[in-house]
Amino acid sequence: RLPWLALNLLLALVVAFVIEHQTGVISQEPVLAALMPVVALLGGNGGNQSLAVMIRSLASDDVPSAQVPGILLRQLGVGVLNGTVLGILAGVVCWLLIDFGPFDTNSDVLTVSLVVAISAFTVLLIGAVVGGGVLPRAYRPRMAGHSRWRGDGIAAGRAIARSALVALVVDP
């Protein structure tokens, strides 16, 4: 697991680099810094849930190659549904926290709430498609002549690496 944790550290530094280059926006609207982890966690969890479902299906050989386009469309639908529901919820909660509570904004409450809602929708959509469709198929390890996943450390390592790659895609 150590190599994948090291990869995760490098990916976290990429995210930090992206955030550092947005300090102008964040200094104008500090509430966005407080809400960034909310959006990132939604995307990461949504992507990893889709990834877990696909890895289970691939491990039990429930997904023939001919069904991949349908799976991608289903994951897209899951991302749209989850993104819509949770995006609206995140936007409403953001609105309430600014309007009635502990958060403050220098901009219009509606604008900040829409940014949070659209961001949550986007990361959930990307996480579902990448985590549940693209990554599992791109890194499907096989033994020669067998359709089942290998039980060795290489296959397990690749499964662990997928969650780090989901984080890279949805966190920035």
Side-chain angles (χ1 to χ4, degrees):
R1 288 186 255 175
L2 184 60
W4 302 117
L5 290 171
L7 174 64
N8 207 19
L9 173 63
L10 291 174
L11 298 177
L13 292 172
V14 170
V15 172
F17 181 77
V18 171
I19 291 170
E20 168 60 28
H21 281 77
Q22 299 302 319
T23 54
V25 173
I26 293 170
S27 66
Q28 291 175 358
E29 201 55 69
V31 71
L32 294 177
L35 295 169
M36 279 190 305
V38 174
V39 173
L41 285 171
L42 281 173
N45 286 331
N48 282 321
Q49 286 176 12
S50 293
L51 179 63
V53 168
M54 282 301 298
I55 286 175
R56 183 176 180 274
S57 295
L58 289 170
S60 62
D61 246 4
D62 291 343
V63 183
S65 296
Q67 292 182 356
V68 171
I71 291 166
L72 289 173
L73 284 176
R74 187 176 75 219
Q75 292 304 319
L76 178 66
V78 167
V80 168
L81 178 64
N82 287 342
T84 300
V85 171
L86 291 171
I88 291 170
L89 183 61
V92 168
V93 169
C94 177
W95 180 293
L96 292 173
L97 288 171
I98 292 171
D99 217 27
F100 297 108
F103 291 177
D104 192 23
T105 181
N106 299 323
S107 301
D108 179 51
V109 176
L110 178 61
T111 303
V112 174
S113 298
L114 283 174
V115 165
V116 170
I118 291 168
S119 298
F121 172 83
T122 303
V123 299
L124 283 161
L125 179 63
I126 292 170
V129 171
V130 172
V134 176
L135 288 177
R137 296 299 297 181
Y139 290 99
R140 186 178 187 177
R142 297 238 187 213
M143 289 178 67
H146 297 280
S147 61
R148 309 269 307 162
W149 274 45
R150 294 189 307 212
D152 63 15
I154 294 171
R158 288 179 180 167
I160 291 167
R162 288 184 187 95
S163 65
L165 294 173
V166 169
L168 173 66
V169 171
V170 300
D171 282 354

